[in-house]
């Protein structure tokens, strides 16, 4: 006869167990063996977290084994140690083998791996160019230092360009996809301060970043 026992786990914030209701599958027959019950909770972690133990236990003496149903999200070894491979959700089946005293049992739990915060971190630089009677272009790395590269598609937009309290924004153009800056001809020599908005769109494992506004300078000599 198959008996279902329902286990309800507590709800805790952060990278800990979350509310879970899982069903233990135990078998009871005329063999005289006891029912074996596996205790384990659903788990929530964040991409980039260290490997962790699944923490499963049994009230019997059956050896536990583990199967990840989505190895793109997590893998798990014979000791119950889980390695994070990517953001997403994976079902993990835990089995306890039959022994002389206990029947076999199994439990399936859910492991959720949340996306990590985008690491984008930028700082403005000072670029120097010579005044010329033609347009000039600067790579984004000439005007911004990426302390940490963003994950996902990058986007850029020019907020302002000024000198001595006067706007010179019309003399500058920023490529939305590459961040390349075009300095238009006819701009007089001097020091200009520009503000640029930068954002990383995120990807499978990382959230989109917040829009970051970075100030940088250009000296036209």
């Amino acid at each position: 006869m198959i008996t279902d026992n329902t286990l309800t786990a507590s709800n805790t914030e952060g990278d800990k167990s979350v509310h879970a209701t899982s069903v233990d599958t135990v078998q009871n027959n005329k063999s005289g063996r006891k029912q074996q019950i596996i205790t384990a909770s659903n788990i929530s972690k964040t991409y980039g977290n260290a490997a962790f133990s699944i923490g499963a236990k049994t009230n019997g003496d059956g050896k536990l084994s583990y199967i990840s149903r989505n190895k793109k999200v997590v893998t798990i070894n014979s000791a119950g140690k889980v390695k994070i491979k990517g953001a997403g959700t994976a079902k993990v089946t835990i089995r306890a083998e039959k022994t002389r005293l206990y029947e076999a049992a199994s439990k399936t739990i859910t492991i959720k791996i949340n996306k990590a915060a985008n690491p984008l971190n930028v700082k403005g630089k000072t670029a120097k160019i010579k005044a010329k009677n033609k347009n000039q272009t600067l790579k984004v790395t000439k005007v911004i230092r990426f302390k940490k590269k963003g994950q996902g598609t990058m986007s850029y937009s020019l907020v302002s360009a000024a000198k001595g309290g006067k706007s010179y924004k019309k003399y500058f153009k920023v490529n939305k996809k590459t961040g390349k800056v075009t300095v238009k001809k006819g701009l007089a020599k001097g020091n200009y301060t520009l503000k640029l908005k930068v954002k990383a769109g995120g990807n499978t494992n990382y959230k989109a970043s917040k829009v970051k506004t970075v100030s940088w300078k250009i000296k036209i000599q």
Side-chain angles (χ1 to χ4, degrees), residues 46-47 72 85-88 113-117 202-207:
T46 298
Y47 181 75
K72 290 182 179 180
K85 296 296 183 179
I113 306 302
N114 301 294
K115 290 185 177 184
N203 54 29
T204 304
N205 297 321
Y206 291 90
K207 300 175 184 178

Side-chain angles (χ1 to χ4, degrees), residues 1 9 11 22 25-26 37 55 67 69 76 89 105 109 132 139 142 153 176 186 189 196 213 215 217 220:
M1 179 178 70
N11 182 18
S22 301
T25 303
V26 295
I37 298 173
I67 300 174
R69 303 296 180 181
I76 182 166
T89 301
I109 66 169
K132 293 183 180 180
K139 292 182 179 180
K142 292 291 184 181
T153 302
K176 292 181 180 180
K189 293 180 180 180
L196 192 66
T213 301
S215 227
K217 295 182 180 181
I220 300 179

Side-chain angles (χ1 to χ4, degrees), residues 182-201:
T182 299
V183 183
K184 297 179 181 180
K185 65 180 180 180
L187 190 61
K189 293 180 180 180
N191 299 329
Y192 299 83
T193 300
L194 293 88
K195 288 184 179 181
L196 192 66
K197 284 184 178 180
V198 185
K199 183 179 180 180

Side-chain angles (χ1 to χ4, degrees), residues 18 20 22 41-44 89-92 108-112:
V18 296
S22 301
S41 300
N42 291 349
I43 296 171
S44 178
T89 301
K91 297 286 187 182
V92 172
T108 297
I109 66 169
T110 299
I111 297 179
K112 182 180 180 182

Side-chain angles (χ1 to χ4, degrees), residues 55-90:
K57 295 180 180 179
T58 174
N59 67 330
D61 57 359
K63 182 179 179 182
L64 296 178
S65 60
Y66 311 88
I67 300 174
S68 171
R69 303 296 180 181
N70 190 346
K71 293 181 179 178
K72 290 182 179 180
V73 176
V74 296
T75 60
I76 182 166
N77 66 15
S78 60
K81 187 174 183 179
V82 181
K83 288 186 178 180
I84 296 172
K85 296 296 183 179
T89 301

